[in-house]
Amino acid sequence: MPDTLIQIRDLHFTRAHKKIFAGVNMDIKAGRITAVMGPSGTGKTTLLKLIGGQLKPDQGEIQVDGQNVHQLKRADLYKLRKKMGMLFQSGALLTDLNVFDNIAYPLREHTNLSESMIRSMVLIKLQAVGLSTAHKLMPAELSGGMARRVALARALALDPMMIMYDEPFTGQDPISLGVLVKLIQDTNHALKLTSILVSHDVEETLSIADEVIILSEGKVIAEGSRDEILQSQSEWVRQFVDGKADGPVPFHYPGDSIEKQLMQAPK
Amino acid sequence: MKALINMLTRLGRGSLFLIKILAGIPQLFLRFNLVIRQVYSVGVQTLLIILVAGLFVGMVLALQLHYTLTTFGAEDTLGLLVDLSLVRELGPVVAALLFAGRAGSALTAEIGLMKATEQLSGLEMMAVDPIERIIAPRFLAGFLSLPLLAAIFSAVGILGGYMVGVDLLGVDSGAFWSQIQAKVDFYDDVLNGVIKSIVFGFIVSWIAVFEGYDCVPTSEGVASATTRTVVHSSLAVLGMDFVLTAIMFN
Ligand SMILES: Nc1ncnc2c1ncn2[C@@H]1O[C@H](COP(=O)(O)OP(=O)(O)OP(=O)(O)O)[C@@H](O)[C@H]1O
Ligand SMILES: [Mg+2]
């Protein structure tokens, strides 16, 4: 296995006339947990979708496991995606299937396992996320936090080589939050996964991340191991890690200042 | 001008989308249970409204035609006229309009919501093609259901006509049926009606799944896509009906 699983070079991406990435470079190391942090709306979700090949960059390239994601043929892209798990911000469970069938779905689609094998695998994954008794529930009957955990079980179903977590911690109560943090760490180590963890929860994220990348305004503003980031003296990093609204990272969506807007007569 | 370009690009996207759906259909024969489940939800949902509407349309037709026919002393042809109106025209068209309102809008809303809640993206990331697994079965189910629903509409409509014409207005029962038997041509009348409903099924299902798949993934986006499905497919059905009628019956 190469040392770097994902290599991003000179990534540019524009969405609805808004420049989201302007020359991003990053290396995600195999077998480690890399946290990607940044203010809301910097394009963290967009980055994961670019890595998964759901969006195409304007310029630059993304290599996953030595393959350029955006030059693959469809069949090869699909083959690669089977090795990438992704946990969506909303969970993205299929609402017309119950919890069990949701987790069984990728197994039924991509393997020829017998129903009894699938059953054991699904129950094991559900047990791992602490929901083994919930397999008959429909997604609408789950809380946001439970849905996220079911989605995690589904993302792990095919035993991927990497997994991308989009905000896994939001909406979790303190207990399941603790469980989830541990779960992400344990699955990463036990299954030798590569994990990309997108999150705002600085404390939880930094407690398990090996590497940290901070994004702001289309650029990587800091990267390094967790300890390097924690000890960094850079104003940017300090502001983010300590959670201050004022500082070099703008908290507000770019545009006219509030003073200016208040002075303008309504149109 | 801008609106025209917009319309043309949508048409282009819609056509590409259709090609992808059609390419996914052979796959479905291996997983026909997916289609059957959709036929159930698309077809059976619409069945009740088709039955009720068919009955009333048939009854109204009988009342109206009977009034005109008695002035010429031609009540005996009531069955024939009811039958021809339904099979050639009203069955396919009204069934398609009801289908667009009931099943087409539901299809668009369902697919649009799946898009808005990232279920379609989720499938893609699981290396499952949503067009193959979600869209194509729904398209095929709509396409297969409408001709059947239109046939049911016409059949129930004829019964409704019989009830009003024979039981209520006293037209001779033998004349009612024998006129139908003698004068309705299988190819000219029945088959052409079936062809119409096949074409309408294709158009309505296509518009419904495309609007859902192409919608802006927000609540308003889904709502306006649903409205567009009903409006566009109704207009398309009526326009196509004129074209098909002009071709078939001239
Ligand atoms: N479908 C879309 N069309 C146009 N612009 C979009 C779309 N989705 C997102 N954006 C824009 O792209 C930018 C990045 O969005 P993204 O969802 O990647 O942010 P994020 O970093 O994940 O934020 P959050 O932490 O709030 O989830 C946002 O400014 C948003 O306005
Ligand atoms: Mg996001």
Side-chain angles (χ1 to χ4, degrees), chain B:
Chain B
M1 191 60 206
K2 191 136 179 259
L4 183 71
I5 291 173
N6 258 338
M7 208 186 80
L8 288 177
T9 45
R10 270 179 75 77
L11 197 63
R13 256 183 305 162
S15 312
L16 284 177
F17 181 68
L18 181 63
I19 292 171
K20 286 192 205 156
I21 296 176
L22 296 179
I25 285 182
Q27 278 269 332
L28 282 178
F29 291 102
L30 298 174
R31 297 167 187 269
F32 213 69
N33 58 330
L34 285 179
V35 182
I36 292 177
R37 196 164 338 133
Q38 291 308 320
V39 169
Y40 179 79
S41 71
V42 168
V44 175
Q45 270 176 356
T46 324
L47 188 58
L48 185 66
I49 180 175
I50 290 282
L51 288 174
V52 175
L55 193 67
F56 278 107
V57 168
M59 295 193 319
V60 170
L61 266 180
L63 278 180
Q64 291 277 13
L65 290 172
H66 185 262
Y67 176 76
T68 316
L69 289 175
T70 38
T71 51
F72 301 106
E75 301 95 295
D76 284 355
T77 56
L78 181 70
L80 176 65
L81 279 182
V82 168
D83 184 279
L84 285 183
S85 326
L86 282 167
V87 170
R88 282 182 165 201
E89 199 55 51
L90 292 172
V93 173
V94 179
L97 295 178
L98 292 171
F99 182 78
R102 180 68 183 84
S105 59
L107 271 181
T108 305
E110 188 193 12
I111 295 171
L113 275 174
M114 290 184 86
K115 182 176 181 185
T117 54
E118 298 191 303
Q119 294 181 53
L120 298 183
S121 288
L123 284 176
E124 274 182 28
M125 283 308 298
M126 282 194 279
V128 172
D129 185 352
I131 295 190
E132 233 171 74
R133 286 291 181 282
I134 303 291
I135 310 292
R138 285 165 173 74
F139 173 79
L140 193 60
F143 175 62
L144 294 177
S145 302
L146 185 54
L148 297 176
L149 291 167
I152 294 171
F153 185 97
S154 298
V156 174
I158 293 168
L159 281 183
Y162 181 87
M163 274 158 46
V164 168
V166 176
D167 296 339
L168 204 68
L169 302 172
V171 174
D172 180 56
S173 162
F176 188 94
W177 294 122
S178 63
Q179 285 276 346
I180 294 181
Q181 252 183 344
K183 298 275 170 53
V184 176
D185 184 78
F186 180 74
Y187 290 103
D188 269 355
D189 303 320
V190 180
L191 199 63
N192 277 338
V194 172
I195 290 173
K196 274 187 180 178
S197 64
I198 289 176
V199 173
F200 298 159
F202 187 91
I203 294 176
V204 175
S205 308
W206 176 27
I207 292 179
V209 293
F210 176 66
E211 288 291 354
Y213 192 81
D214 199 55
C215 77
V216 181
T218 59
S219 325
E220 306 98 73
V222 175
S224 65
T226 309
T227 311
R228 273 201 306 275
T229 292
V230 177
V231 174
H232 289 182
S233 45
S234 305
L235 291 177
V237 163
L238 295 172
M240 241 1 239
D241 184 48
F242 176 75
V243 174
L244 288 176
T245 309
I247 296 171
M248 287 171 174
F249 301 112
N250 275 315

Side-chain angles (χ1 to χ4, degrees), chain A residues 78-111:
Chain A
Y78 273 35
K79 214 184 270 170
L80 183 63
R81 279 183 184 164
K82 284 184 212 168
K83 299 191 280 178
M84 298 180 172
M86 173 140 173
L87 187 65
F88 283 82
Q89 219 161 343
S90 59
L93 296 173
L94 294 167
T95 42
D96 58 342
L97 300 179
N98 67 18
V99 166
F100 183 94
D101 291 328
N102 258 290
I103 300 172
Y105 193 90
L107 295 168
R108 290 185 178 139
E109 280 291 330
H110 296 308
T111 68

Side-chain angles (χ1 to χ4, degrees), chain A residues 16-35:
Chain A
H17 307 296
K18 186 169 176 259
K19 191 101 196 156
I20 302 208
F21 296 118
V24 164
N25 294 300
M26 59 173 82
D27 292 300
I28 308 262
K29 297 204 179 89
R32 323 206 82 199
I33 301 178
T34 303

Side-chain angles (χ1 to χ4, degrees), chain A:
Chain A
M1 192 185 269
D3 239 13
T4 335
L5 186 69
I6 301 175
Q7 202 175 52
I8 298 178
R9 288 291 171 266
D10 192 34
L11 178 70
H12 288 256
F13 186 71
T14 313
R15 202 164 205 186
H17 307 296
K18 186 169 176 259
K19 191 101 196 156
I20 302 208
F21 296 118
V24 164
N25 294 300
M26 59 173 82
D27 292 300
I28 308 262
K29 297 204 179 89
R32 323 206 82 199
I33 301 178
T34 303
V36 176
M37 305 207 281
S40 193
T42 27
K44 302 179 298 294
T45 303
T46 309
L47 179 70
L48 298 186
K49 288 196 169 165
L50 282 160
I51 295 174
Q54 292 196 300
L55 297 172
K56 262 199 158 52
D58 302 339
Q59 194 185 318
E61 60 168 41
I62 298 178
Q63 298 235 350
V64 177
D65 202 18
Q67 292 174 289
N68 184 333
V69 176
H70 300 94
Q71 278 171 7
L72 290 177
K73 286 207 212 59
R74 223 178 74 109
D76 294 326
L77 178 62
Y78 273 35
K79 214 184 270 170
L80 183 63
R81 279 183 184 164
K82 284 184 212 168
K83 299 191 280 178
M84 298 180 172
M86 173 140 173
L87 187 65
F88 283 82
Q89 219 161 343
S90 59
L93 296 173
L94 294 167
T95 42
D96 58 342
L97 300 179
N98 67 18
V99 166
F100 183 94
D101 291 328
N102 258 290
I103 300 172
Y105 193 90
L107 295 168
R108 290 185 178 139
E109 280 291 330
H110 296 308
T111 68
N112 292 317
L113 297 174
S114 68
E115 267 308 299
S116 68
M117 281 281 272
I118 288 180
R119 193 182 143 76
S120 342
M121 288 184 70
V122 171
L123 291 180
I124 290 169
K125 305 284 176 199
L126 267 175
Q127 172 69 29
V129 296
L131 288 173
S132 54
T133 48
H135 63 270
K136 285 215 181 74
L137 297 180
M138 295 304 285
E141 299 168 316
L142 302 174
S143 73
M146 286 162 87
R148 203 85 41 75
R149 284 190 275 160
V150 173
L152 174 58
R154 184 177 70 175
L156 291 171
L158 285 177
D159 293 321
M161 65 176 180
M162 59 174 280
I163 182 155
M164 299 188 269
Y165 300 94
D166 196 356
E167 313 266 3
F169 302 135
T170 37
Q172 299 284 349
D173 65 70
I175 299 173
S176 37
L177 180 74
V179 172
L180 201 62
V181 169
K182 186 136 179 5
L183 192 67
I184 292 177
Q185 189 168 30
D186 289 350
T187 38
N188 192 75
H189 294 156
L191 306 174
K192 303 239 177 328
L193 286 173
T194 304
S195 308
I196 304 178
L197 176 56
V198 163
S199 177
H200 296 301
D201 297 77
V202 176
E203 198 182 319
E204 283 75 25
T205 309
L206 289 184
S207 73
I208 55 168
D210 301 310
E211 308 284 328
V212 179
I213 296 172
I214 301 181
L215 288 174
S216 178
E217 303 202 305
K219 294 232 189 278
V220 173
I221 56 167
E223 62 184 318
S225 69
R226 172 182 50 179
D227 296 335
E228 283 166 14
I229 293 291
L230 280 174
Q231 275 147 30
S232 167
Q233 290 308 315
S234 146
E235 248 186 295
W236 299 81
V237 177
R238 289 264 55 96
Q239 186 202 348
F240 203 79
V241 173
D242 302 336
K244 289 184 281 198
D246 288 321
V249 183
F251 160 68
H252 296 286
Y253 193 86
D256 288 348
S257 71
I258 179 82
E259 289 83 1
K260 195 165 164 206
Q261 288 184 56
L262 286 171
M263 294 303 288
Q264 276 166 359
K267 280 171 205 131

